[in-house]
Amino acid sequence: MRFDRLGAFQFSFEPGTASEPLGDPVPAEVKQERYNRLMERQQQISLERNQSFIGKTLDVLVEGQGEGLSLGRTYRDAPEIDGMVIIEGEAPVGELLPVRISGAMAYDLSGVPRASFH
C-alpha cells in the first residue's frame, strides 16, 4: 500500500486512556527504528509522487513572499502540515496563480508562474 501523504508518531503511554492497562511494552529504540524505517520509505514515495507533477501546471495559493521568491500551496497541501510550492518571483499574497512545476523535492515543489503578475 502507498500513501501520497503520511504522518506518523511513536506511541507514547498516556495515563487515563483506554490503552493504559497495556502499558508501554515496546522499547524506545524499537519504536525509533520502526518510525525511521517508515518515514524513510514514505519520503521516497512522496518524492516519486511529487516528481509526477513536473511539467504540469497547478493552481497555487500564494501565502508569502520575499527575496525574489513566493511560497504557496496547492489543493494537495494542508496549511502548516504539508509541503509548499516555491515560486520564482514575488507574487501578491492571496493570489491564486497558475504555476508550471519545474522541480520536485521530497515534500516541496518548485515552479514558474504561467501568467505574469503585478
Side-chain angles (χ1 to χ4, degrees):
M1 180 178 292
R2 293 169 60 103
F3 296 95
D4 283 3
R5 304 283 172 98
L6 179 128
F9 62 92
Q10 297 176 37
F11 174 80
S12 59
F13 177 75
E14 295 289 333
T17 63
S19 66
E20 183 176 12
L22 301 174
D24 193 0
V26 180
E29 52 279 350
V30 173
K31 287 190 253 184
Q32 185 66 47
E33 188 276 330
R34 290 174 179 172
Y35 175 82
N36 290 345
R37 204 166 17 122
L38 172 65
M39 295 312 293
E40 286 172 16
R41 178 65 185 121
Q42 184 57 37
Q43 189 174 37
Q44 182 60 38
I45 292 168
S46 180
L47 176 60
E48 290 169 9
R49 180 69 175 133
N50 279 349
Q51 287 172 334
S52 75
F53 287 101
I54 293 176
K56 296 181 179 173
T57 299
L58 299 175
D59 288 334
V60 177
L61 177 63
V62 178
E63 295 187 326
Q65 58 170 252
E67 300 184 27
L69 296 173
S70 297
L71 293 175
R73 59 188 170 92
T74 69
Y75 69 93
R76 304 175 59 235
D77 306 311
E80 300 178 17
I81 296 173
D82 292 323
M84 302 288 291
V85 180
I86 303 162
I87 309 163
E88 292 180 20
E90 293 188 18
V93 172
E95 183 168 329
L96 191 60
L97 189 66
V99 175
R100 183 171 175 82
I101 304 302
S102 58
M105 295 154 272
Y107 302 113
D108 301 315
L109 298 170
S110 61
V112 179
R114 292 287 305 226
S116 61
F117 49 86
H118 312 302

